[in-house]
Amino acid sequence: RWEHIQTLVEGNSPSEWREAIIEADIMLDDVLAKRGYVGAGVGEKLKSVDEAELATLQDAWEAHKVRNQIAHQGSTFDLSETLARRTIARYESVFQELKVI
């Protein structure tokens, strides 16, 4: 799953970058749910995470905010390659801390 996300973010089109971020956010939702965090979506789950439990909590929030901009603004959200790569790197750091990649 993570390899697919990496392939997408390495693509040449903003639509691939958007898909990578959305897929990473879905993966984060699944990981948080498996860890016992409850809530309707990533945002609510993140609210119940203590920063002492997850050093990369701020990365998770920043990445999720970009995902929300994509979800709400769609193709009108100007997603640069730099922002896409930085966002995926934030997800990656969270997933590494949680030992899922």
Side-chain angles (χ1 to χ4, degrees):
R1 189 174 188 179
W2 181 247
E3 287 172 9
H4 177 65
I5 291 166
Q6 286 182 308
T7 301
L8 288 168
V9 82
E10 289 165 9
N12 296 318
S13 72
S15 64
E16 288 175 297
W17 307 334
R18 283 185 185 87
E19 186 181 345
I21 292 168
I22 290 168
E23 288 296 320
D25 203 71
I26 292 167
M27 184 172 162
L28 179 59
D29 193 35
D30 292 346
V31 169
L32 292 172
K34 286 178 182 154
R35 298 285 166 112
Y37 296 104
V38 292
V42 173
E44 286 191 22
K45 288 180 180 79
L46 288 176
K47 286 178 187 173
S48 65
V49 177
D50 187 329
E51 206 161 344
E53 300 169 34
L54 187 65
T56 54
L57 181 60
Q58 195 58 44
D59 283 325
W61 272 116
E62 293 300 323
H64 182 62
K65 285 179 196 171
V66 173
R67 177 263 171 209
N68 281 348
Q69 288 178 291
I70 292 167
H72 297 295
Q73 297 175 32
S75 60
T76 62
F77 176 64
D78 187 22
L79 179 64
S80 68
E81 184 174 1
T82 302
L83 179 58
R85 289 181 182 272
R86 187 180 320 133
T87 302
I88 291 299
R90 289 181 192 274
Y91 282 112
E92 184 173 18
S93 66
V94 174
F95 294 144
Q96 285 174 337
E97 182 180 352
L98 294 173
K99 299 189 179 2
V100 293
I101 59 168

